[in-house]
Amino acid sequence: MPKVSEDHLAARRSQILAGARRCFAEFGYDGATVRRLEDATGLSRGAIFHHFKDKDGLFLALAQEDAARMADVAAEQGLVQVMRDMLASPEQFDWLGTRLEITRRLRTDPDFAKAWTQHSAELTKATVGRLERQREAGRLRDDVPTEVVLSYLDLVLDGLIARLASGTADSELSAVLDLVEESVRRTAAG
């Protein structure tokens, strides 16, 4: 039996993730059945689940991929820039519309909650690091603890995801992000 190259395996995995992203975006977590995942990826269930243990594993791999990408942006440019990227290219983040299912499962499925928390920790760590660097540089307001600023930004992120997922994004959202950014900046003593 011929050995499959690492490049081929990586390409197949990317193909599966791209198709699954579209499928989750269109049908939600529950609606992304194995049959639909097969159609979206163009592969059999055997090929899909050769690379991923199960549907949860596939979904969490998407979460990890996006969390890593968002963490890179958050570390360098801040969480508000992540939100600006979402606003500029919502199609790259549209599978996050399954956030309601994620929220439900976080409350009801301890194994899912543990795995999700591990994947989202990378984004939190990057955001906290950026906030602390901004505070040290005198650019972040110092009258509010970093944890509160983080919770505030997470809440805004969740709201933006919900708005984009509902299809009701409007032209004012960029101005809203300007306001959010301004609200966490340190003001010059006047």
Side-chain angles (χ1 to χ4, degrees):
M1 183 161 166
K3 191 170 185 171
V4 178
S5 75
E6 289 298 318
D7 288 344
H8 177 77
L9 291 173
R12 181 58 52 96
R13 183 175 163 83
S14 292
Q15 176 185 357
I16 294 167
L17 288 170
R21 184 181 307 280
R22 289 188 308 273
C23 190
F24 286 125
E26 184 174 352
F27 300 107
Y29 182 86
D30 287 335
T33 62
V34 172
R35 181 76 199 127
R36 285 179 171 157
L37 287 166
E38 288 175 318
D39 290 344
T41 62
L43 299 170
S44 70
R45 72 183 59 215
I48 295 168
F49 297 118
H50 171 76
H51 293 272
F52 300 94
K53 177 182 168 195
D54 53 22
K55 188 167 104 172
D56 273 354
L58 179 56
F59 188 77
L60 289 168
L62 285 171
Q64 183 177 22
E65 187 177 84
D66 283 359
R69 183 168 31 105
M70 292 178 354
D72 288 344
V73 173
E76 293 299 316
Q77 301 171 34
L79 192 57
V80 173
Q81 185 59 48
V82 170
M83 291 183 249
R84 289 187 192 287
D85 291 351
M86 287 180 167
L87 192 55
S89 302
E91 70 282 354
Q92 292 183 14
F93 298 91
D94 58 359
W95 77 278
L96 290 174
T98 59
R99 194 75 168 212
L100 293 175
E101 172 63 16
I102 293 167
T103 301
R104 182 187 69 76
R105 293 191 63 204
L106 288 173
R107 285 191 332 262
T108 61
D109 184 340
D111 292 335
F112 181 86
K114 181 179 177 186
W116 183 263
T117 300
Q118 289 171 346
H119 293 306
S120 63
E122 188 175 351
L123 179 57
T124 299
K125 181 180 176 184
T127 302
V128 168
R130 166 77 178 183
L131 290 172
E132 289 174 353
R133 288 190 305 277
Q134 291 295 91
R135 187 179 304 272
E136 289 168 8
R139 292 188 289 269
L140 183 70
R141 56 190 295 175
D142 57 5
D143 61 329
V144 180
T146 302
E147 298 77 23
V148 173
V149 175
L150 176 63
S151 292
Y152 168 63
L153 293 173
D154 281 343
L155 185 62
V156 173
L157 176 62
D158 287 345
L160 179 65
I161 290 169
R163 180 68 64 94
L164 292 173
S166 72
T168 59
D170 50 50
S171 60
E172 290 83 30
L173 289 179
S174 182
V176 169
L177 293 180
D178 291 343
L179 180 63
V180 168
E181 199 165 39
E182 190 62 33
S183 71
V184 298
R185 282 194 186 132
R186 184 174 186 180
T187 57

